[in-house]
Structures are given as C-alpha cells and as structure tokens.
Amino acid sequence: MGAMLKRSGIWKDANPTGMVADFKLVWKQAGHNRWRIAAVSAACTFGVFYLMFTQEGSAPHPPPKVTWISVLKEHRTDAEIEAENLANQKAKEAYAREIARRDKDVRELYKAIGRYSGMDVDKIAREADAEEAAKAKADRERIEQNLKAGGIANPKLAPDAAQQ
C-alpha cells in the first residue's frame, strides 16, 4: 500500500504543504483586493480555456486507400499494351477528325448565311484567321519566354503549324 502512495516522476519534488502555505501568504498580501484579483484571474483562465475549446483541431488525414485499375487484364504483355495504345491513339485521331469536319460544316453553314445576308464572309474569314495566327504566335512567344525564364536557354518546341 505504501508503494502506491509513494510520489514518483515530477511529483516527487512537489510539496503540497509548501504550496498551501504560499497560497495563504499571497491571499493575505492581496488585502481588500483579493476577491477582485481572484475574479480577474478566474475570468482570464476561463477565457483562455474557452478559446482553446472553440478552436477546431484535426489529426492528419489518413493515407488514401489505393484502388487499382481493375478494368485491365493483370498480366498484359508489352506487345498487348502497345497494340492497345495504338488503337486508342487511332480512335482519338478519328474523333479529332470528326470534330474538325463538323466544325468545318458549321463554318460553311455560317458563311452561307452570311453571304445570303450580304456580308463579306471571305474578308471576315481572313481577319479571323489573321487574329487566330497572331494569338497562336503570342502564345508561342509567351511559352518560350517562360521556358527561358525557367532556365531553359534554348527551348525546342514543336514546329509551328503556320510555318509548315
């Protein structure tokens, strides 16, 4: 039983008798302001604990659960992967061609409507093409400047489509 009441760790150097005696001394020294001091101290303590209580804290997020892609066969060979990539690239190019064809049909439709309404659609098309080329050139120059600013002294971009 005596071992359970034995003080250990940081409590072995604490003396409750001395703490109580110190508190009595400070209480007597406070004089007639002791209740005011106690109220302010309690209010400050309450305020600090209230602020701590209202703070929202959260632990680090748990690591994400990895979900493997399950629609692909597990042990594909390099040849199978390459064939699948080529098929996907061909489908992507066919889709891009279809979109370009549809865009061209829409442009032709608008040109026909413009001609019927008396507009100079060829002039409008030339101005639009020139505007588009200027924007592409400005974008290309901006990219090259960013590459040079990033420490790439001689950036090699894909050839400009307008120059080919």
Side-chain angles (χ1 to χ4, degrees):
M1 181 77 173
M4 289 179 58
L5 297 175
K6 183 179 177 184
R7 290 185 282 174
S8 63
I10 61 170
W11 296 109
K12 70 180 178 182
D13 297 325
N15 184 358
T17 308
M19 288 187 286
V20 170
D22 287 343
F23 179 76
K24 282 182 182 178
L25 180 65
V26 170
W27 187 257
K28 286 179 184 176
Q29 286 176 350
H32 66 278
N33 291 324
R34 68 175 63 117
W35 289 108
R36 290 183 192 142
I37 293 170
V40 170
S41 298
C44 290
T45 304
F46 176 77
V48 168
F49 277 93
Y50 178 76
L51 288 174
M52 288 189 322
F53 180 73
T54 60
Q55 294 294 317
E56 187 171 324
S58 61
H61 295 292
K65 294 181 180 176
V66 177
T67 302
W68 298 99
I69 299 173
S70 59
V71 295
L72 301 174
K73 292 191 318 187
E74 278 191 41
H75 301 290
R76 299 184 303 159
T77 65
D78 288 343
E80 289 174 326
I81 294 170
E82 188 174 335
E84 189 174 319
N85 287 349
L86 286 173
N88 288 340
Q89 183 65 32
K90 287 180 183 178
K92 178 182 167 186
E93 290 168 358
Y95 178 74
R97 282 193 303 272
E98 178 64 19
I99 294 295
R101 184 191 63 77
R102 290 180 184 190
D103 288 347
K104 182 181 176 193
D105 290 346
V106 169
R107 278 193 302 274
E108 292 300 322
L109 180 67
Y110 279 120
K111 282 183 182 181
I113 293 171
R115 282 191 185 95
Y116 284 125
S117 60
M119 296 179 171
D120 186 3
V121 293
D122 295 326
K123 178 183 172 191
I124 294 171
R126 281 192 306 273
E127 289 173 357
D129 290 342
E131 206 174 290
E132 201 171 297
K135 184 182 179 305
K137 183 179 178 188
D139 287 346
R140 187 177 184 83
E141 288 173 357
R142 181 185 49 80
I143 291 170
E144 288 177 358
Q145 288 297 332
N146 286 344
L147 289 174
K148 287 178 184 175
I152 300 173
N154 188 14
K156 297 284 186 187
L157 298 178
D160 192 3
Q163 295 175 354
Q164 291 181 353

